[in-house]
Amino acid sequence: MSRLQEREQKRWLQQLGKQEKRWVWLSVAAGVGIGLMLIVQAHLLARVVDGTLFSGQSLAQHTPLLLMLLAALLLRALLGVVKEWAGQQASIRIRRSLRGLLLNHINRLGPAYTGDQRSGELSSILLEQVEALDGFFARYLPQMALAAMLPLVILAFIFPVNWAAGLIFLITAPLVPLFMALVGTRAAEANRRNFAALSQLGSHFLDVVQGIVTLKLFDRSRAQVEVIEAGADEFRQRTMQVLRLAFLSSAVLEFFASISIAVVAVYLGFSFLGHLDFGYWDAPVNLYQGLFILLLAPEFYLPLRELGTHYHARQEAVAAADKLRELLEATPKAIAGEGAGLDATVHQISLEGAGLTYPGRQTPVFTGVNLTLQRGRIVALVGPSGAGKSSLLQVLLGFRQLSEGQVKVNQTPLDMVGSYAWLEQVAWVSQHTTLFPGSLRDNLLLAAPDASEHALYLALEQANALEFVQRLPDGLDTIVGELGSGFSGGQIQRLALARAFLKDAPVLLLDEPTANLDRDSEQLVLESLQTLCAGRLVLMLTHRRSSMLRADEVWQLENGQLSLLNTDAPEVGGAT
């Protein structure tokens, strides 16, 4: 990453911080209060020691000063709690807002985008990389302001006491951020490599978990264990590199801060001995002034040292911001969720001069497509694998936007309808039906959350699924395993049809609903589909002649062109 890109990432992070700037400034105000209490403590302690050793006063005479010192300590502790709490509040709120923004944008990008991504990598961005911003907002951002303000406040109290000591502080202070930046550049690159390794490891692990059955069938599970072990070890080594650089940064800062404090101590020591006769305003340095300056010397460098301690959090956040911004700046592929909606039941969908080209590709998936779907007619779409049938279906669902032409619903452009209103009118049965962890009842109610018990059983009966559901020990309360484990492909497809019956939508889109089914399961699904399609607007994608039902029209999509194979035929013939 270039310095320009790094500055852009930092500017973006600071823009995010402005969303909760009141919490950030409360943390800064508490930090300034802590600094002022440190100055008060140094003043009171120096007064007590000077009065006791050089003025012959007893500790009892300094009781008011000691009580004030105790009050300053307690107030400092309270301000420390407020500083940490306000910083955490800013971080929590910003990260929560950012996650919501990311989820909304992913929803806006649509299934066509997420289908092209690795789920493990998206999960890593939403979880680990958003969490990596915690230290930046909770500690680094407030500390950056404190590192600029507190040293100036302390100098404002030191210069009136001794200008030479103030000058030493002023000259040595820039050394700390200078070396902090030099070490931090290496840390940023190490963090970036660490995040890349984590994303790759998470994506690979999720792929292995999802394909564990196949891996076991081919006896490759042990080999994948070794691959994961190697990836985990690589991630461990990269994490150790980041920690090594973080500790190195802290050590460098501590070293230069200690050297600077030592220079001040040497100056004061030689001044007490009379070897140095400069730096004071009216009278030579006395014990009170020397103690006051020495007690404030570590506190002068403390904000800079703490900034250095949190600097690796800044570099970690900059590295994470790279992927976060890339996701947020991705161009939406789906139509917008909000829209004007529909005034009437869907009776016609038309594609007019429709063309689709994937980003980064020259050859269009299809072009010049004109197709009209009418309510009450079943249209079958055939074509070889990779011809673009599923892409055309994604366009009709609103998951992808056309490169040219438009889709109209009842003569209204689909992008004006809005995906929220449009998907309420559509029932979609895919060849890869997903059953989610939970009960069968929960899975069915996804289609109609308010459906009654009678409606659930009626939908199951219409889908030819009631027979096997009633045989289950817990019926509709049977718990579904991960990815529908425990149910056959035919049973899952019939449950998908039950969801479609339950939704009772006017538009029915079918994507190879009988793919990968045996003959008996296919026959049951086709019988249910025949009932489901009656009176609806239907588009069915298929390769198999037996799956075409009694199609009114059969269209073929091949080489990016759509052509009519058969019109008004009671049975499909000649299609491949």
Side-chain angles (χ1 to χ4, degrees), residues 118-125 128 198-199 202-204 206-207:
R118 300 182 74 177
S119 302
E121 188 169 353
L122 282 177
S123 300
S124 175
I125 292 173
E128 283 87 358
L198 179 61
S199 294
S203 300
H204 182 74
L206 182 60
D207 291 343

Side-chain angles (χ1 to χ4, degrees), residues 5-6 35 57 79 82 122 181 208 217 221 282 290 309 336 369 426 498 570 573:
Q5 289 174 315
E6 187 172 336
Q57 299 172 349
L79 288 171
V82 172
L122 282 177
V208 169
L217 286 173
S221 56
D282 297 323
T309 302
V369 169
V426 177

Side-chain angles (χ1 to χ4, degrees), residues 14 54 133 146 186 234 243 306 325 386 402 450 528 560:
Q14 289 173 336
F54 284 88
L133 306 184
L146 290 173
R186 292 280 306 277
E234 180 186 359
L243 290 175
E306 287 190 356
R325 285 189 68 192
L402 289 170
D450 299 325
S528 302

Side-chain angles (χ1 to χ4, degrees), residues 114-381:
T114 55
D116 295 338
Q117 305 300 310
R118 300 182 74 177
S119 302
E121 188 169 353
L122 282 177
S123 300
S124 175
I125 292 173
L126 288 169
L127 297 174
E128 283 87 358
Q129 301 203 25
V130 173
E131 282 302 307
L133 306 184
D134 178 43
F136 181 86
F137 295 115
R139 289 174 291 277
Y140 177 79
L141 205 56
Q143 194 61 38
M144 190 169 61
L146 290 173
M149 296 167 63
L150 277 182
L152 295 177
V153 172
I154 293 173
L155 282 176
F157 284 90
I158 288 179
F159 264 110
V161 176
N162 189 286
W163 61 264
L167 196 60
I168 292 172
F169 287 141
L170 200 58
I171 292 171
T172 56
L175 291 174
V176 177
L178 174 63
F179 283 91
M180 174 179 68
L182 291 176
V183 178
T185 304
R186 292 280 306 277
E189 188 59 35
N191 266 307
R192 198 167 296 111
R193 291 195 300 267
N194 197 40
F195 277 128
L198 179 61
S199 294
Q200 185 175 2
L201 181 62
S203 300
H204 182 74
F205 184 73
L206 182 60
D207 291 343
V208 169
V209 170
Q210 290 177 336
I212 192 66
V213 175
T214 305
L215 289 171
K216 283 188 173 295
L217 286 173
F218 288 92
D219 195 24
R220 298 298 300 167
S221 56
R222 291 185 181 277
Q224 285 303 314
V225 168
E226 294 174 1
V227 172
I228 292 173
E229 283 180 353
D233 188 62
E234 180 186 359
F235 178 66
R236 177 188 62 80
Q237 292 178 10
R238 293 189 185 280
T239 302
M240 290 301 106
Q241 289 175 2
V242 173
L243 290 175
R244 182 181 64 188
L245 288 170
F247 284 124
L248 176 63
S249 174
S250 299
V252 169
L253 299 183
E254 291 291 340
F255 173 75
F256 281 101
S258 300
I259 292 294
S260 303
I261 294 169
V263 171
V264 174
V266 168
Y267 162 74
L268 291 173
F270 278 99
S271 296
F272 282 133
L273 293 172
H275 296 302
L276 295 177
D277 190 23
F278 68 91
Y280 53 85
W281 297 100
D282 297 323
V285 177
N286 57 35
L287 181 62
Y288 163 75
Q289 293 174 338
L291 276 174
F292 180 70
I293 293 170
L294 278 177
L295 287 170
L296 285 182
E299 309 305 333
F300 176 82
Y301 296 103
L302 182 62
L304 295 170
R305 296 205 317 268
E306 287 190 356
L307 182 64
T309 302
H310 302 317
Y311 192 72
H312 74 279
R314 179 250 194 202
Q315 300 298 72
E316 188 179 16
V318 168
D322 194 22
K323 282 290 185 181
L324 293 170
R325 285 189 68 192
E326 182 182 327
L327 177 57
L328 286 172
E329 291 171 1
T331 304
K333 295 183 178 181
I335 64 172
E338 301 294 339
L342 293 166
D343 297 328
T345 303
V346 179
H347 58 81
Q348 178 180 291
I349 301 174
S350 58
L351 288 96
E352 300 177 357
L356 177 66
T357 304
Y358 288 151
R361 297 186 186 179
Q362 299 295 326
T363 306
V365 180
F366 54 80
T367 185
V369 169
N370 294 286
L371 177 66
T372 300
L373 307 175
Q374 299 281 354
R375 186 171 185 177
R377 292 179 66 82
I378 300 173
V379 175
L381 181 62

Side-chain angles (χ1 to χ4, degrees), residues 263-536:
V263 171
V264 174
V266 168
Y267 162 74
L268 291 173
F270 278 99
S271 296
F272 282 133
L273 293 172
H275 296 302
L276 295 177
D277 190 23
F278 68 91
Y280 53 85
W281 297 100
D282 297 323
V285 177
N286 57 35
L287 181 62
Y288 163 75
Q289 293 174 338
L291 276 174
F292 180 70
I293 293 170
L294 278 177
L295 287 170
L296 285 182
E299 309 305 333
F300 176 82
Y301 296 103
L302 182 62
L304 295 170
R305 296 205 317 268
E306 287 190 356
L307 182 64
T309 302
H310 302 317
Y311 192 72
H312 74 279
R314 179 250 194 202
Q315 300 298 72
E316 188 179 16
V318 168
D322 194 22
K323 282 290 185 181
L324 293 170
R325 285 189 68 192
E326 182 182 327
L327 177 57
L328 286 172
E329 291 171 1
T331 304
K333 295 183 178 181
I335 64 172
E338 301 294 339
L342 293 166
D343 297 328
T345 303
V346 179
H347 58 81
Q348 178 180 291
I349 301 174
S350 58
L351 288 96
E352 300 177 357
L356 177 66
T357 304
Y358 288 151
R361 297 186 186 179
Q362 299 295 326
T363 306
V365 180
F366 54 80
T367 185
V369 169
N370 294 286
L371 177 66
T372 300
L373 307 175
Q374 299 281 354
R375 186 171 185 177
R377 292 179 66 82
I378 300 173
V379 175
L381 181 62
V382 300
S385 297
K389 302 189 301 299
S390 294
S391 297
L392 181 63
L393 191 65
Q394 288 179 350
V395 168
L396 291 175
L397 286 164
F399 295 167
R400 286 189 187 274
Q401 296 188 57
L402 289 170
S403 305
E404 58 185 35
Q406 60 182 340
V407 180
K408 289 185 177 180
V409 181
N410 294 351
Q411 299 304 314
T412 302
L414 182 58
D415 54 357
M416 293 181 61
V417 175
S419 66
Y420 297 150
W422 171 234
L423 291 177
E424 289 292 325
Q425 305 296 314
V426 177
W428 173 36
V429 180
S430 169
Q431 59 178 309
H432 303 297
T433 299
T434 300
L435 292 183
F436 299 96
S439 67
L440 274 180
R441 187 190 309 276
D442 294 334
N443 274 272
L444 291 173
L445 289 176
L446 289 172
D450 299 325
S452 64
E453 196 79 0
H454 174 72
L456 289 174
Y457 280 101
L458 180 60
L460 288 169
E461 184 178 5
Q462 291 172 320
N464 285 318
L466 184 59
E467 171 262 335
F468 78 82
V469 169
Q470 287 180 327
R471 291 202 310 266
L472 296 172
D474 297 321
L476 283 176
D477 295 317
T478 300
I479 299 300
V480 178
E482 190 71 27
L483 299 178
S485 62
F487 293 89
S488 69
Q491 290 173 335
I492 290 174
Q493 282 301 88
R494 280 180 275 168
L495 289 170
L497 290 174
R499 282 200 294 222
F501 274 111
L502 200 59
K503 187 169 185 179
D504 194 25
V507 179
L508 181 61
L509 301 178
L510 307 171
D511 183 6
E512 298 280 359
T514 60
N516 305 316
L517 298 183
D518 58 59
R519 186 174 299 276
D520 292 338
S521 296
E522 180 183 34
Q523 190 58 41
L524 288 171
V525 168
L526 287 174
E527 288 175 7
S528 302
L529 280 173
Q530 199 71 55
T531 304
L532 180 61
C533 292
R536 303 179 198 276

